[in-house]
mmCIF file of all heavy atoms in Angstrom:
data_model
loop_
_atom_site.group_PDB
_atom_site.id
_atom_site.type_symbol
_atom_site.label_atom_id
_atom_site.label_comp_id
_atom_site.label_asym_id
_atom_site.label_seq_id
_atom_site.Cartn_x
_atom_site.Cartn_y
_atom_site.Cartn_z
ATOM 1 N N THR X 98 14.225 -33.742 -137.317
ATOM 2 C CA THR X 98 15.404 -33.127 -136.528
ATOM 3 C C THR X 98 15.600 -33.679 -135.098
ATOM 4 O O THR X 98 16.618 -33.860 -134.712
ATOM 5 C CB THR X 98 15.211 -31.653 -136.517
ATOM 6 O OG1 THR X 98 14.968 -31.216 -137.921
ATOM 7 C CG2 THR X 98 16.526 -30.958 -136.039
ATOM 8 N N PHE X 99 14.444 -33.812 -134.402
ATOM 9 C CA PHE X 99 14.401 -34.471 -133.193
ATOM 10 C C PHE X 99 15.267 -33.454 -132.171
ATOM 11 O O PHE X 99 16.041 -34.085 -131.378
ATOM 12 C CB PHE X 99 14.745 -35.830 -133.069
ATOM 13 C CG PHE X 99 13.896 -36.743 -133.984
ATOM 14 C CD1 PHE X 99 14.361 -37.194 -135.200
ATOM 15 C CD2 PHE X 99 12.552 -36.969 -133.552
ATOM 16 C CE1 PHE X 99 13.454 -37.946 -136.087
ATOM 17 C CE2 PHE X 99 11.741 -37.705 -134.396
ATOM 18 C CZ PHE X 99 12.098 -38.133 -135.567
ATOM 19 N N HIS X 103 11.212 -34.161 -127.366
ATOM 20 C CA HIS X 103 9.881 -33.996 -126.613
ATOM 21 C C HIS X 103 8.901 -35.117 -126.842
ATOM 22 O O HIS X 103 9.159 -35.986 -127.711
ATOM 23 C CB HIS X 103 9.354 -32.626 -126.845
ATOM 24 C CG HIS X 103 9.034 -32.258 -128.261
ATOM 25 N ND1 HIS X 103 8.198 -33.003 -129.004
ATOM 26 C CD2 HIS X 103 9.682 -31.425 -129.266
ATOM 27 C CE1 HIS X 103 8.135 -32.496 -130.351
ATOM 28 N NE2 HIS X 103 9.007 -31.611 -130.400
ATOM 29 N N HIS X 106 7.869 -35.959 -130.251
ATOM 30 C CA HIS X 106 8.768 -36.967 -131.050
ATOM 31 C C HIS X 106 8.633 -38.391 -130.513
ATOM 32 O O HIS X 106 8.541 -39.245 -131.360
ATOM 33 C CB HIS X 106 10.248 -36.571 -130.724
ATOM 34 C CG HIS X 106 10.526 -35.113 -131.289
ATOM 35 N ND1 HIS X 106 11.341 -34.212 -130.589
ATOM 36 C CD2 HIS X 106 10.237 -34.478 -132.402
ATOM 37 C CE1 HIS X 106 11.475 -33.185 -131.323
ATOM 38 N NE2 HIS X 106 10.716 -33.352 -132.412
ATOM 39 N N LYS X 135 16.191 -24.013 -141.200
ATOM 40 C CA LYS X 135 15.967 -24.369 -139.800
ATOM 41 C C LYS X 135 17.408 -24.035 -139.168
ATOM 42 O O LYS X 135 18.472 -24.814 -139.446
ATOM 43 C CB LYS X 135 15.851 -25.867 -139.536
ATOM 44 C CG LYS X 135 14.458 -26.163 -139.074
ATOM 45 C CD LYS X 135 14.238 -27.538 -138.589
ATOM 46 C CE LYS X 135 12.906 -27.913 -138.080
ATOM 47 N NZ LYS X 135 12.710 -29.146 -137.662
ATOM 48 N N GLY X 182 4.632 -36.600 -139.387
ATOM 49 C CA GLY X 182 3.407 -35.951 -138.691
ATOM 50 C C GLY X 182 2.541 -35.222 -139.640
ATOM 51 O O GLY X 182 2.886 -34.806 -140.710
ATOM 52 N N ASP X 184 1.619 -32.243 -139.668
ATOM 53 C CA ASP X 184 1.905 -30.922 -140.030
ATOM 54 C C ASP X 184 2.480 -30.844 -141.390
ATOM 55 O O ASP X 184 2.757 -29.793 -141.997
ATOM 56 C CB ASP X 184 3.055 -30.400 -139.000
ATOM 57 C CG ASP X 184 4.149 -31.173 -138.711
ATOM 58 O OD1 ASP X 184 3.859 -32.499 -138.402
ATOM 59 O OD2 ASP X 184 5.303 -30.723 -138.533
ATOM 60 N N ARG X 203 -0.388 -35.249 -135.308
ATOM 61 C CA ARG X 203 0.671 -34.653 -134.540
ATOM 62 C C ARG X 203 0.118 -34.495 -133.078
ATOM 63 O O ARG X 203 -1.065 -34.260 -132.973
ATOM 64 C CB ARG X 203 0.903 -33.284 -135.324
ATOM 65 C CG ARG X 203 2.098 -32.517 -134.768
ATOM 66 C CD ARG X 203 2.213 -31.297 -135.572
ATOM 67 N NE ARG X 203 2.962 -30.220 -134.932
ATOM 68 C CZ ARG X 203 4.275 -30.177 -134.964
ATOM 69 N NH1 ARG X 203 5.015 -31.068 -135.759
ATOM 70 N NH2 ARG X 203 5.014 -29.210 -134.292
ATOM 71 N N THR X 204 1.106 -34.583 -132.171
ATOM 72 C CA THR X 204 0.736 -34.291 -130.829
ATOM 73 C C THR X 204 0.578 -32.908 -130.574
ATOM 74 O O THR X 204 1.296 -32.050 -131.067
ATOM 75 C CB THR X 204 1.916 -34.726 -129.877
ATOM 76 O OG1 THR X 204 2.304 -36.091 -130.180
ATOM 77 C CG2 THR X 204 1.508 -34.700 -128.457
ATOM 78 N N VAL X 207 2.850 -29.262 -128.539
ATOM 79 C CA VAL X 207 4.345 -29.367 -128.149
ATOM 80 C C VAL X 207 5.082 -29.340 -129.421
ATOM 81 O O VAL X 207 4.609 -29.841 -130.521
ATOM 82 C CB VAL X 207 4.645 -30.643 -127.312
ATOM 83 C CG1 VAL X 207 4.178 -31.895 -128.064
ATOM 84 C CG2 VAL X 207 6.089 -30.703 -126.994
ATOM 85 N N SER X 208 6.181 -28.512 -129.481
ATOM 86 C CA SER X 208 7.180 -28.553 -130.595
ATOM 87 C C SER X 208 8.457 -27.993 -130.037
ATOM 88 O O SER X 208 8.525 -27.230 -129.052
ATOM 89 C CB SER X 208 6.572 -27.818 -131.718
ATOM 90 O OG SER X 208 6.838 -26.434 -131.562
ATOM 91 N N THR X 209 9.495 -28.230 -130.887
ATOM 92 C CA THR X 209 10.795 -27.688 -130.644
ATOM 93 C C THR X 209 10.694 -26.186 -130.589
ATOM 94 O O THR X 209 11.235 -25.472 -129.637
ATOM 95 C CB THR X 209 11.780 -28.143 -131.575
ATOM 96 O OG1 THR X 209 11.751 -29.577 -131.666
ATOM 97 C CG2 THR X 209 13.121 -27.620 -131.260
ATOM 98 N N THR X 210 10.018 -25.644 -131.585
ATOM 99 C CA THR X 210 9.822 -24.192 -131.733
ATOM 100 C C THR X 210 9.203 -23.581 -130.477
ATOM 101 O O THR X 210 9.673 -22.577 -129.935
ATOM 102 C CB THR X 210 9.086 -23.772 -133.099
ATOM 103 O OG1 THR X 210 9.665 -24.510 -134.032
ATOM 104 C CG2 THR X 210 9.068 -22.405 -133.322
HETATM 105 N N1 CTP O 757 6.025 -34.161 -134.485
HETATM 106 C C1 CTP O 757 4.790 -34.600 -134.006
HETATM 107 N N2 CTP O 757 4.207 -33.892 -133.058
HETATM 108 C C2 CTP O 757 4.727 -32.677 -132.449
HETATM 109 C C3 CTP O 757 6.025 -32.359 -133.052
HETATM 110 C C4 CTP O 757 6.588 -33.019 -133.918
HETATM 111 O O1 CTP O 757 4.128 -35.577 -134.397
HETATM 112 N N3 CTP O 757 4.175 -32.089 -131.604
HETATM 113 C C5 CTP O 757 6.618 -34.915 -135.557
HETATM 114 C C6 CTP O 757 6.800 -34.201 -136.877
HETATM 115 O O2 CTP O 757 5.610 -34.098 -137.559
HETATM 116 C C7 CTP O 757 7.832 -35.012 -137.514
HETATM 117 C C8 CTP O 757 8.674 -35.519 -136.275
HETATM 118 O O3 CTP O 757 8.002 -35.386 -135.158
HETATM 119 O O4 CTP O 757 7.353 -36.170 -138.119
HETATM 120 C C9 CTP O 757 10.047 -34.816 -136.186
HETATM 121 O O5 CTP O 757 9.736 -33.432 -136.170
HETATM 122 P P1 CTP O 757 10.699 -32.188 -135.853
HETATM 123 O O6 CTP O 757 10.714 -31.227 -137.088
HETATM 124 O O7 CTP O 757 12.038 -32.833 -135.608
HETATM 125 O O8 CTP O 757 10.039 -31.551 -134.600
HETATM 126 P P2 CTP O 757 9.240 -30.236 -134.385
HETATM 127 O O9 CTP O 757 8.966 -30.164 -132.881
HETATM 128 O O10 CTP O 757 8.195 -30.125 -135.224
HETATM 129 O O11 CTP O 757 10.365 -29.033 -134.654
HETATM 130 P P3 CTP O 757 10.194 -27.603 -135.115
HETATM 131 O O12 CTP O 757 9.285 -27.010 -134.025
HETATM 132 O O13 CTP O 757 11.513 -27.127 -135.049
HETATM 133 O O14 CTP O 757 9.654 -27.608 -136.481
#
Side-chain angles (χ1 to χ4, degrees):
T98 307
F99 302 103
H103 55 66
H106 294 143
K135 253 193 176 180
D184 46 322
R203 189 176 157 90
T204 309
V207 58
S208 82
T209 303
T210 310

